[in-house]
Amino acid sequence: RAADPRMAARGAAAYAQIPRGGAVRLVVGFPPGGSVDHVARILAPELSRVLGRSVVVENVPGANSARAIARVASSEPNGDTLLLASSAIAHPDNAAAAAALRPVILASTAPMVLVVRASLPAHDPREFAAYLAAHAGASYGSSGVGNPTHLAAARLVEHLRADAVHVPYSGSALAFADLVAGRIDFMMTASNSSVGGHGAVRALAVTTRSRSRLPGLDRLPTIAETLVPGFDFGLWQAVFAPARFPDAAVAALNAQLREVLAFERVRAALAEGGVEIVAGSPV
């Protein structure tokens, strides 16, 4: 549902009257260079212009965003500290801490991509399945135990009845670096420009039920149509505030973020990174 413009206007006035200490901190639960960090660094300077104050990205990696969630949940509910979270916030271990947050906006979604090291002799999903069947102990990386990048890969391995070793990392950028170096064999990772343009890796398929319309991914088949009917995994990115952040302030911040997400330069930058804008209302 659309936000009530009268509430947004009242919220903007109330929000403007909250004492400001300095920069707004947009907290990300993963190291720099990953998909969530990428979205944050596109949004931060644009949100800074709309708010009229500095917005800085603060990376607080660890335990599928648990440290970042705790950082924001324990902060003052004045809009100075916000969380840009991914689907990892839905991990059961995060349930109690996440209850101390409230959603501001579902910003975007992204498919994941099945990516293999370039030296692995598989050029499509079926060749990949054949490789796993013939090579017990193949390794795959993820952004952490229970992260969607782990669950999607584990589901595929389980369906193929393969024997593969999970190697968890504290973020997708670290896992991707090891894939590029040939230290692991494959991974499910968020779609971004480095996936399709890196000569040391090969993208084989997208994880969503339908083919992606994003440039560079539209040529890839889905895992659902090639290997596992009904296979459907994706990622999302959303902004959260502390639970006691006022309703009117949530409405105002949602409107400001929707303004940012409507900028053509933001839409183009996110699309180049494999991200589709949602720009929803607070839930």
Side-chain angles (χ1 to χ4, degrees):
R1 59 184 176 82
D4 185 337
R6 293 169 299 179
M7 176 175 284
R10 291 195 300 271
Y15 192 39
Q17 293 170 10
I18 295 175
R20 300 301 184 209
V24 174
R25 301 194 175 276
L26 187 58
V27 180
V28 173
F30 297 95
S35 58
V36 186
D37 179 73
H38 174 72
V39 173
R41 292 181 189 278
I42 291 173
L43 296 184
E46 302 295 346
L47 184 59
S48 177
R49 293 185 184 96
V50 170
L51 293 178
R53 56 191 299 228
S54 179
V55 178
V56 297
V57 177
E58 180 179 314
N59 297 92
V60 185
N64 270 325
S65 298
R67 292 183 61 230
I69 293 168
R71 164 87 169 85
V72 176
S74 63
S75 66
E76 290 296 320
N78 58 10
D80 282 356
T81 308
L82 304 169
L83 175 71
L84 181 66
S86 72
S87 316
I89 198 173
H91 190 283
D93 289 349
N94 288 333
L101 300 173
R102 66 178 305 179
V104 174
I105 192 169
L106 174 60
S108 53
T109 61
M112 285 185 285
V113 184
L114 169 61
V115 186
V116 301
R117 55 179 170 81
S119 57
L120 193 141
H123 295 79
D124 60 48
R126 292 185 177 88
E127 288 184 355
F128 171 75
Y131 178 87
L132 287 191
H135 295 80
S139 58
Y140 66 96
S142 79
S143 298
V145 175
N147 186 276
T149 56
H150 169 214
L151 299 179
R155 173 71 182 88
L156 179 60
V157 168
E158 178 186 31
H159 177 86
L160 297 176
R161 293 185 168 86
D163 177 12
V165 178
H166 175 220
V167 184
Y169 295 79
S170 61
S172 59
L174 300 175
F176 189 77
D178 268 7
L179 182 68
V180 167
R183 298 188 186 96
I184 56 175
D185 296 311
F186 68 98
M187 67 180 294
M188 300 289 197
T189 186
S191 54
N192 58 58
S193 55
S194 64
V195 168
H198 206 299
V201 301
R202 186 182 306 116
L204 301 184
V206 294
T207 61
T208 44
R209 186 185 300 269
S210 302
R211 290 196 179 202
S212 174
R213 294 172 294 179
L214 292 166
L217 299 184
D218 48 3
R219 63 179 177 81
L220 293 178
T222 67
I223 291 174
E225 69 186 281
T226 54
L227 295 176
V228 187
F231 194 92
D232 188 15
F233 280 84
L235 301 171
W236 50 258
Q237 299 83 32
V239 175
F240 290 79
R244 293 183 292 119
F245 197 49
D247 290 346
V250 169
L253 185 54
N254 175 272
Q256 289 163 326
L257 283 163
R258 287 165 67 118
E259 180 182 348
V260 167
L261 290 165
F263 294 155
E264 183 54 39
R265 58 185 177 273
V266 171
R267 302 181 75 88
L270 290 176
E272 184 179 353
V275 176
E276 299 182 75
I277 289 174
V278 177
S281 298
V283 177

